[in-house]
Each structure stands twice: as C-alpha cells, then as structure tokens.
Amino acid sequence: MAAIANNTALFSSSSTTRSKDLFFNSKSFSSSFAHFRSSPHFYKKMIYCASVDGVDSVSSTSLKSELDADYVPMPIVHIDQDSDSDATMVQVSFGDRLGALIDTMKSLKDLGLDVVKGTVSTEGSVTQTKFLITRLETGRKVEDPDLLERIRLTIINNLLKYHPESSERLAMGEAFGIKAPEKKLDVDIATHIHVKDDGPTRSLLSIETADRPGLLLEVIKIVADTNVTVESAEIDTEGLVAKDKFHVSYRGAALNTSLSQVLVNCLRYYLRRPETDEDSY
C-alpha cells in the first residue's frame, strides 16, 4: 500500500440485499477506520428470532444467545489469480467478526505489496473483505509461489492474533493458538486429488487436503518435478482444509492420461494424510 490518506471513503447500501459495501484504495483511505478494529460491531452477534405470530420470543432469543456465545465461524482465506488480469485477489471472511482489516493491510505492505483496491461487504451475518494486491516494485500481480504462501500465512497469523478464538478452526491453531482444533489433521481429514481437461491447452488440478504451513510450495515443487507448468492458482483455506486449484499444462497442451496419473501419484504419496482418495484422478 503506497499510502493511507485521510477521510475519503465511499459507502453504498442496498435495502433489498441488506448489504453494505465500503470501497477504498491505497491512495484514498481513511485512517480513522482503525477504530473498527475495537468496535463492538466486530463482536456483536446478530440474533434473529420470531414466534409464529411474529412477536419476538424472549426465551428463544436467550437460548440462541447461549448457543451463539460458543459458536466460532469458519475462517476462510481465498487467493485468486484468475479473477483480475492485473492484480491478485485476496478474500477473507470470519463470520461477522471482521471489518476493514487495517492491520492485515499493513502486514501485506511489509511484504512489499500494494493494496490497490479493497471492498468490505456484509451480507446477512457474514462480512467479506476483498483486496486487489500487486507487487509494489513492479505494479504487477503476485506470481511467486513463495510470496503467495507468505501472504496466506500472514493473513492466518493476523486472524490468530486479533481473533484468537479462530485457533480452534485453523490448522495453525494446533501449534500457535489458544485452543487446538478438535479434529486431528492426521486422522480426520482425507486427501482428494483430481485432474481434468480445461480446454485444449491446459488441465485443472484440484487438491483438497489438511492445511499446514508450506503446503502450497510443496505442491508446486512436486508439480514442477514432473515437468508440468503451473499457469495460475486459486488457493482456498477453509478452516482446517486447503482446497487448491491449479491450471497446469505440459509443453503448451493439456496433460494426457499417463502424465496426469504420474502427477496424481506423486502428490498422493506426499499428501497421504491420513488417507488419500483411491479414486483420485
């Protein structure tokens, strides 16, 4: 982010969708939004309860409040290289507990990145924050796998720091959180790998497996070792599970059956934890 300027933000709302959007960019963003971080809005639970005749039920609301008090929403980090031709899109959500993510933007800037545009939208009880980011030195989207992984881990680290309750729903919470996940990564989460044609010049590699630091780099290294080219990636972290998609090719063409099987076998060997889908590929 090149700079954070003063008091220029644009709000729009829609009564039909009950959503509110905040648009900002690195050259026009209000530093006063820092108060969002400590605002009760981030921690307020939206409780809807009605009886048959449309009158709010106090007893039901009380029960709902108790249930919500223990509920931790699913943290989601989505990194997409295909949606925008000039920038990498990053989307973060954690129920209704996130806002403008000022600290996350500062952390991305420390990685040598520029947040060229961002959107905060609220639909129902879920707040989604989207960034369009580029490399500060080149103004281009992020292509380096190592930097993509650092972006992902930086966002997850900030979730653990500013929303420690997220630790029970993140793989990194097992080592760094205040409460480890109930599911065991080595026991409860299987791996699924699939390759299919996505046109004449490329194939789509889909991987679903237990998340852990360095996963993206290892996957790309294995793909490169089979002489397959990664053209673009879509990286999803949904709680404990990594759901990644890669557009891949071999010498400018889609992967044939033999090469697809070799690639799946290599990935299956590395990712077998606890059990890889035997129908992969």
Side-chain angles (χ1 to χ4, degrees):
M1 180 170 18
I4 298 179
N6 291 324
N7 287 330
T8 50
L10 172 63
F11 288 88
S12 64
S13 62
S14 170
S15 58
T16 56
T17 61
R18 293 184 179 179
S19 65
K20 184 180 293 182
D21 294 324
L22 161 66
F23 299 93
F24 54 88
N25 58 52
S26 60
K27 295 182 175 60
S28 59
F29 189 77
S30 171
S31 60
S32 64
F33 283 112
H35 79 276
F36 282 165
R37 201 169 57 238
S38 58
S39 169
H41 170 74
F42 285 177
Y43 306 98
K44 181 180 179 181
K45 306 246 182 347
M46 299 180 68
I47 301 172
Y48 300 93
C49 184
S51 62
V52 175
D53 60 2
V55 179
D56 290 341
S57 169
V58 175
S59 60
S60 296
T61 302
S62 176
L63 176 61
K64 181 73 172 177
S65 297
E66 291 178 4
L67 293 174
D68 281 353
D70 296 328
Y71 174 72
V72 177
M74 173 77 77
I76 297 175
V77 179
H78 174 76
I79 301 176
D80 183 2
Q81 290 182 298
D82 289 334
S83 295
D84 191 281
S85 59
D86 300 317
T88 299
M89 189 194 80
V90 178
Q91 179 175 311
V92 187
S93 63
F94 184 45
D96 64 347
R97 306 187 187 190
L98 299 182
L101 298 182
I102 307 298
D103 296 287
T104 296
M105 287 197 294
K106 290 179 179 178
S107 297
L108 293 176
K109 179 181 178 181
D110 291 340
L111 294 177
L113 301 169
D114 185 18
V115 180
V116 295
K117 182 181 178 182
T119 306
V120 178
S121 62
T122 302
E123 295 184 6
S125 60
V126 178
T127 300
Q128 294 183 338
T129 304
K130 294 181 182 180
F131 303 124
L132 290 180
I133 59 176
T134 59
R135 301 196 68 157
L136 196 58
E137 59 184 16
T138 64
R140 301 176 63 85
K141 67 166 58 180
V142 180
E143 303 284 358
D144 180 16
D146 179 64
L147 186 52
L148 287 171
E149 179 69 349
R150 289 167 64 192
I151 291 169
R152 188 180 74 89
L153 295 180
T154 295
I155 294 170
I156 291 176
N157 281 331
N158 275 12
L159 273 172
L160 290 170
K161 179 178 180 180
Y162 295 104
H163 295 276
E165 72 276 16
S166 67
S167 66
E168 65 181 273
R169 304 208 66 178
L170 287 167
M172 289 177 61
E174 188 168 14
F176 304 105
I178 60 173
K179 184 178 179 181
E182 291 184 5
K183 286 187 175 182
K184 300 303 179 184
L185 300 179
D186 293 331
V187 177
D188 297 326
I189 300 176
T191 293
H192 306 278
I193 308 167
H194 300 279
V195 177
K196 65 179 182 180
D197 287 346
D198 190 31
T201 62
R202 65 182 188 178
S203 299
L204 181 65
L205 167 65
S206 301
I207 300 173
E208 181 175 329
T209 190
D211 184 36
R212 61 264 202 187
L215 175 64
L216 175 63
L217 294 178
E218 291 294 339
V219 168
I220 291 180
K221 180 179 183 301
I222 292 169
V223 173
D225 287 345
T226 59
N227 295 319
V228 172
T229 301
V230 175
E231 298 181 356
S232 64
E234 184 176 306
I235 305 159
D236 283 338
T237 305
E238 297 184 8
L240 304 175
V241 181
K243 298 181 179 180
D244 300 339
K245 295 180 181 180
F246 304 90
H247 283 118
V248 297
S249 63
Y250 177 70
R251 296 182 177 178
L255 277 59
N256 61 30
T257 301
S258 298
L259 185 55
S260 295
Q261 189 63 63
V262 169
L263 177 59
V264 169
N265 289 343
C266 292
L267 290 167
R268 179 187 294 156
Y269 178 81
Y270 170 73
L271 298 173
R272 185 178 293 275
R273 171 191 291 205
E275 179 179 341
T276 303
D277 182 2
E278 293 299 335
D279 293 331
S280 294
Y281 170 77

